[in-house]
Amino acid sequence: MGPNDKFLVITEGEYDAMAVHQETKFPCVSLPQGASHLPKQLMPFFDRFEKIYLWLDADEVGKRSAEKYAEALGPNRTFIIDPSFNIEDFASYPKDANDALRQGLDFRKIMTENTRWLDQQKVLSMSSLINKI
């Protein structure tokens, strides 16, 4: 990751981060303790990025966490990558980025066609957002 990078992909696990970087060469980090923990002390690190993509697991914990973190990171610059979004065959979508790699899927296609914004109705005040982490 370079000092001039303007966007970042955040994944739930290390293997997912490696898969994203391998397939896209995009800067990528993983959450240090999985989907249920985004340490408050890391928030200043994310300030320099104009766009942040969250690609957490496509399970209930991952989806809930992605929405919570999108609120905290800034809903106007954070995108949620959800392979189940915009797809008809739910049985075949990957659970995470590592599954997408093993299935030979096109990461750039997933990241453009299966990315959504946080529902703008859920935006709260900044102090409320920090306390939600």
Side-chain angles (χ1 to χ4, degrees):
M1 182 174 337
N4 297 323
D5 289 329
K6 297 296 181 197
F7 72 94
L8 177 71
V9 180
I10 301 173
T11 65
E12 187 168 328
E14 292 85 0
Y15 288 116
D16 300 320
M18 289 186 292
V20 170
H21 183 72
Q22 175 182 313
E23 294 299 301
T24 65
K25 303 298 184 234
F26 295 157
C28 191
V29 297
S30 69
L31 295 171
Q33 297 174 346
S36 59
H37 187 68
L38 176 62
K40 289 180 184 180
Q41 62 267 29
L42 290 180
M43 294 305 285
F45 168 77
F46 300 115
D47 287 343
R48 71 182 178 110
F49 298 102
E50 294 174 9
K51 291 183 181 180
I52 298 173
Y53 294 85
L54 292 167
W55 190 344
L56 306 185
D57 287 5
D59 55 18
E60 285 306 310
V61 173
K63 289 179 180 188
R64 262 194 324 272
S65 295
E67 292 200 357
K68 181 171 89 171
Y69 300 152
E71 287 179 358
L73 293 166
N76 293 326
R77 68 175 179 150
T78 307
F79 302 87
I80 298 171
I81 300 168
D82 181 357
S84 68
F85 178 70
N86 228 5
I87 196 169
E88 293 180 19
D89 183 12
F90 294 108
S92 67
Y93 73 85
K95 177 183 82 81
D96 56 25
N98 193 37
D99 278 353
L101 176 66
R102 288 193 304 249
Q103 292 177 22
L105 300 178
D106 182 339
F107 277 57
R108 291 178 189 260
K109 183 175 181 180
I110 290 172
M111 293 176 73
T112 55
E113 294 179 7
N114 299 91
T115 300
R116 61 182 174 86
W117 288 83
L118 180 66
D119 181 356
Q120 294 300 313
Q121 303 296 357
K122 296 181 181 180
V123 176
L124 306 173
S125 70
M126 195 53 145
S127 61
S128 298
L129 299 178
I130 295 297
N131 292 329
K132 289 186 132 258
I133 297 178

